[in-house]
Amino acid sequence: MTTAAARRHERRVSPVFLAILAVMAVTGWAVWTDFAASPGLAVFLFVTSAWVVSLCLHEYAHARTALHGGDITVGAKGYLTLNPLAYTHAVLSVVLPVLFVIMGGIGLPGGAVFIEQGRIKGRWKHSLISAAGPLANVLFAIVCTAPFWLDALDGVPLAFRYALAFLAFLQVTAALLNFLPVPGLDGYGVVEPWLSYKVKRQIEPYAPYGFFIVIALLFVPQINNAFFDAIDALMRGLGVPEFSRYCGSQLFRFWEGAPEFCRVQGLS
């Protein structure tokens, strides 16, 4: 295989990602047309598949930026194919975030692709590579909320509107959590190149636990309230009513049964 052919192969979109994208499209259509017998199940499948797509785009953004920054090994590792199974920590990158959405309805940051830092020259490049992932979530959130802040919801079915609001909520929470300057999260990767060697050495022993410390802190009522107050403020700023996001999360948990005021069948 020639070098050019190898590069094309390394950047070919994975059939796994295309399959996930197809699930998102089909279930999104089912939600929009009210075709599904169970709107809640359709919303669950649509939001879950769209969430996995966003996780793939998050990791792809890291890898693509690293490629342009000097790490030419990301292609051979499969990171440019958007295949979630190619990630260094597939469980942390995909499985765990999906489980957290199902159990807690929060956009948990995933793992990370492995970047060969020695190939990247310049602090700005290192910071940009770390920022690229959560910026992909920000872009996804903008797309999801565009119908709300553009006041373009006329004719949009309620079920789809609620699903879009909940999906946007997941993207906003993921972006905000990822941008925290905590070791193990992308926010720390943004500031880490600018820290002194001494400070980095002091932080290094705690780096593997930063992610889990953040999750534990979210169970502290005061911190949890402050975090979700910030999320709610951002969502309101993007024009997404709290009611729509709440009903989206309730429809997503179809096994619990959505409240009567969130019902969508028979409504337009």
Side-chain angles (χ1 to χ4, degrees):
M1 185 181 292
T2 65
T3 302
R7 287 178 179 172
R8 286 195 297 271
H9 178 73
E10 291 172 355
R11 302 178 188 188
R12 187 177 301 162
V13 178
S14 163
V16 176
F17 178 77
L18 293 176
I20 298 169
L21 204 60
V23 172
M24 184 186 80
V26 170
T27 54
W29 170 82
V31 174
W32 182 282
T33 60
D34 198 24
F35 179 80
S38 171
L41 178 60
V43 168
F44 172 82
L45 293 173
F46 170 62
V47 171
T48 300
S49 56
W51 174 235
V52 175
V53 166
S54 75
L55 293 173
C56 294
L57 293 174
H58 175 111
E59 304 299 352
Y60 176 82
H62 282 308
R64 189 75 189 192
T65 310
L67 176 67
H68 292 292
D71 184 1
I72 59 174
T73 70
V74 294
K77 294 168 184 170
Y79 296 159
L80 301 178
T81 65
L82 289 159
N83 183 358
L85 302 179
Y87 301 145
T88 306
H89 300 292
V91 172
L92 286 178
S93 294
V94 178
V95 177
L96 195 59
V98 169
L99 286 176
F100 258 77
V101 170
I102 293 173
M103 295 187 300
I106 184 172
L108 182 73
V113 295
F114 178 73
I115 306 298
E116 296 191 14
Q117 302 292 343
R119 295 177 178 268
I120 312 297
K121 306 301 179 184
R123 290 184 292 183
W124 281 108
K125 289 182 180 179
H126 283 280
S127 294
L128 186 57
I129 290 168
S130 294
L135 285 175
N137 292 110
V138 170
L139 182 59
F140 209 111
I142 291 173
V143 172
C144 291
T145 58
F148 294 91
W149 50 264
L150 288 175
D151 197 21
L153 291 170
D154 288 344
V156 176
L158 281 178
F160 193 85
R161 190 182 310 180
Y162 294 160
L164 212 55
F166 182 54
L167 183 58
F169 169 79
L170 296 178
Q171 300 302 322
V172 171
T173 55
L176 187 59
L177 283 171
N178 259 305
F179 270 128
L180 292 176
V182 175
L185 299 180
D186 291 326
Y188 178 74
V190 173
V191 302
E192 190 264 350
W194 306 90
L195 301 176
S196 69
Y197 177 75
K198 180 180 179 181
V199 171
K200 286 188 282 189
R201 285 296 301 272
Q202 290 174 334
I203 293 175
E204 188 175 357
Y206 306 100
Y209 311 106
F211 173 81
F212 299 102
I213 291 172
V214 169
I215 300 305
L217 288 175
L218 285 176
F219 285 94
V220 178
Q222 294 84 349
I223 295 176
N224 184 280
N225 291 337
F227 174 76
F228 282 103
D229 283 346
I231 295 296
D232 288 340
L234 285 171
M235 294 292 285
R236 286 194 299 271
L238 291 168
V240 181
E242 185 176 350
F243 175 82
S244 294
R245 187 262 293 175
Y246 173 78
C247 284
S249 68
Q250 294 301 306
L251 286 173
F252 177 84
R253 295 185 185 84
F254 67 94
W255 56 90
E256 296 179 354
E260 180 66 20
F261 57 81
C262 287
R263 68 186 181 91
V264 293
Q265 286 183 317
L267 296 177
S268 59

